[in-house]
């Protein structure tokens, strides 16, 4: 992993650039300049160059956001904002300066699903996105639909360590990653079906960054990819009753970190209403949307979609560290869906579906986890 100083050239570029302000998540909620990417980059540059040092408020500012991958996507040069945020958080966490909220979140995450279990199937459904929550039956729809298409997959509830990683506890993240990989190796697992984009990000991007390798023969895929393949092959009947329903599809921030490409520069022009694909490309976006289209639903989108999807508040552990901010972000996302005239918000992230559902206010559109729709 790189140190914060090694990102200095990017911090120099970000510290005076206000261009990503429209993409601000927390800053557009709190209306505080200190929550903007530009202000955070200026703070980190000063610390990285020895001009300034950490104090309580600076540490809070560092953590009062997601990993800010939306600014990375909005930037025409796609500066690695999320990477230098992780580097800064790692240094803060290792120095013992992390806020109490962050330390508590790390402790809570350690209470996630245990990896002290035995895997008995070569194909597993890895239930990890809501490992820190107690949500009995939340994965039942996914297991029903997998059974319907003839896939015998073992439900394996296990924590990936991704919250530790996002909060800067890289040592803890590596320990959890090693434990999970050992569990998969001992079970001779050949196929892992990820429950959502966050799990997919953990296995395919975070683990390599931590130096943790999956077995070469192991295939990692997403639940959405499995379902769309089955639907195209005729093995999964498409549920009826959704035809013509206006749907706003929400992508978690993790999706941008596994996308094949981030947005084209043209999308930052005011009032962009071009092709949705210009907002980011990849199977992580195409597979779930294909399922929505096959059900006959009418997708409605704004520029804040795909790689520019604004956080629902559940990304990168924010719901565990600063729940008030996370609730505010959820409200903004639900407002976006309602303002576009959608009748339902659909997401392929069970974590986002859970957080948005409990954040709903009177008059907000209903929220559905995509596999739950497919299981009807």
């Amino acid at each position: 992993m790189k140190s914060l100083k090694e990102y200095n050239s990017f911090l120099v570029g970000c510290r005076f650039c206000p261009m990503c302000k429209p993409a601000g998540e927390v800053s557009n909620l709190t209306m505080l300049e200190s929550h903007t990417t530009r202000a955070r980059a200026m703070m980190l540059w000063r610390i990285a160059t020895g001009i300034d040092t950490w104090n309580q408020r600076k540490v809070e500012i560092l953590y009062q956001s997601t990993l800010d991958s939306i600014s990375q996507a909005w930037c025409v040069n796609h500066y690695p904002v999320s990477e230098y945020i992780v580097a800064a958080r790692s240094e803060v966490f290792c120095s013992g300066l992390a806020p109490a909220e962050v330390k508590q979140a790390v402790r809570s995450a350690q209470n996630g699903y245990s990896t002290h279990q035995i895997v008995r199937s070569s194909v597993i459904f890895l239930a990890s996105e809501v490992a820190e929550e107690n949500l009995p039956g939340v994965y039942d729809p996914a297991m029903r639909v997998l059974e319907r298409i003839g896939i015998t997959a073992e439900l394996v509830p296990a924590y990936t360590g991704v919250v530790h990683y996002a909060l800067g506890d890289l040592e803890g993240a590596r320990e959890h990653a090693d434990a999970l990989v050992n569990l998969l190796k001992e079970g001779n697992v050949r196929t892992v079906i990820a429950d959502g984009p966050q799990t997919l990000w953990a296995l395919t991007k975070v683990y390599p960054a931590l130096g943790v390798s999956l077995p070469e023969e192991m295939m990692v895929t997403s639940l959405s990819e499995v379902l769309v393949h089955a639907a195209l092959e005729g093995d999964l009947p498409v549920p009826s009753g959704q035809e013509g329903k206006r749907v706003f599809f929400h992508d978690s921030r993790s999706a941008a970190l596994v996308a094949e490409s981030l947005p084209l520069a043209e999308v930052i022009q005011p009032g962009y209403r071009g092709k949705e694909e210009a907002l980011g490309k990849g199977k992580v976006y195409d597979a779930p949307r294909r399922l929505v289209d096959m059900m006959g639903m009418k997708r409605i989108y704004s520029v804040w979609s795909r790689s520019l999807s604004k956080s629902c508040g559940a990304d990168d552990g924010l719901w565990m560290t600063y729940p008030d901010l996370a609730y505010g972000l959820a409200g903004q996302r639900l407002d976006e869906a309602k303002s576009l005239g959608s009748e339902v918000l659909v997401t392929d992230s069970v974590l986002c579906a859970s957080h948005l559902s409990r954040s709903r206010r009177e008059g907000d559109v209903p929220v559905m986890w995509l596999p739950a729709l497919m299981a009807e």
Side-chain angles (χ1 to χ4, degrees), residues 171-224:
E171 182 178 348
R174 193 173 293 109
E175 290 177 0
H176 284 284
D178 283 334
L180 177 56
V181 170
N182 288 336
L183 174 71
L184 301 180
K185 287 180 178 178
E186 291 170 2
N188 200 27
V189 174
R190 290 292 177 267
T191 302
V192 177
I193 302 173
D195 60 348
Q198 179 176 273
T199 302
L200 194 64
W201 171 52
L203 297 179
T204 62
K205 301 296 181 180
V206 173
Y207 282 16
L210 293 171
V212 177
S213 300
L214 297 173
E216 290 185 5
E217 66 276 11
M218 186 180 295
M219 181 183 74
V220 178
T221 187
S222 71
L223 179 59
S224 292

Side-chain angles (χ1 to χ4, degrees), residues 98-113:
E101 295 89 345
V102 172
K103 293 177 181 178
Q104 178 57 45
V106 167
R107 287 193 294 269
S108 298
Q110 289 175 337
N111 296 326
Y113 295 135

Side-chain angles (χ1 to χ4, degrees), residues 179-322:
L180 177 56
V181 170
N182 288 336
L183 174 71
L184 301 180
K185 287 180 178 178
E186 291 170 2
N188 200 27
V189 174
R190 290 292 177 267
T191 302
V192 177
I193 302 173
D195 60 348
Q198 179 176 273
T199 302
L200 194 64
W201 171 52
L203 297 179
T204 62
K205 301 296 181 180
V206 173
Y207 282 16
L210 293 171
V212 177
S213 300
L214 297 173
E216 290 185 5
E217 66 276 11
M218 186 180 295
M219 181 183 74
V220 178
T221 187
S222 71
L223 179 59
S224 292
E225 289 179 57
V226 171
L227 297 186
V228 77
H229 177 76
L232 290 172
E233 292 295 315
D235 297 326
L236 176 61
V238 178
S240 59
Q242 304 295 336
E243 295 84 355
K245 183 175 290 186
R246 298 186 301 277
V247 57
F248 180 78
F249 194 88
H250 170 76
D251 300 287
S252 71
R253 289 308 316 153
S254 300
L257 298 172
V258 296
E260 294 171 16
S261 64
L262 294 176
L264 302 177
E266 65 191 61
V267 306
I268 69 172
Q269 300 302 317
Y272 175 78
R273 291 295 183 271
K275 293 183 178 179
E276 185 181 354
E277 290 74 16
L279 300 167
K281 296 181 179 179
K283 291 184 290 185
V284 71
Y285 299 127
D286 296 338
R289 284 168 171 77
R290 188 71 177 269
L291 289 170
V292 168
D293 293 344
M294 294 177 76
M295 284 187 282
M297 304 177 88
K298 181 181 179 182
R299 284 190 285 117
I300 300 172
Y301 76 96
S302 71
V303 71
W304 307 119
S305 299
R306 296 197 175 218
S307 293
L308 290 177
S309 177
K310 290 193 174 183
S311 177
C312 71
D315 303 287
D316 307 327
L318 187 64
W319 68 274
M320 300 176 70
T321 52
Y322 295 97

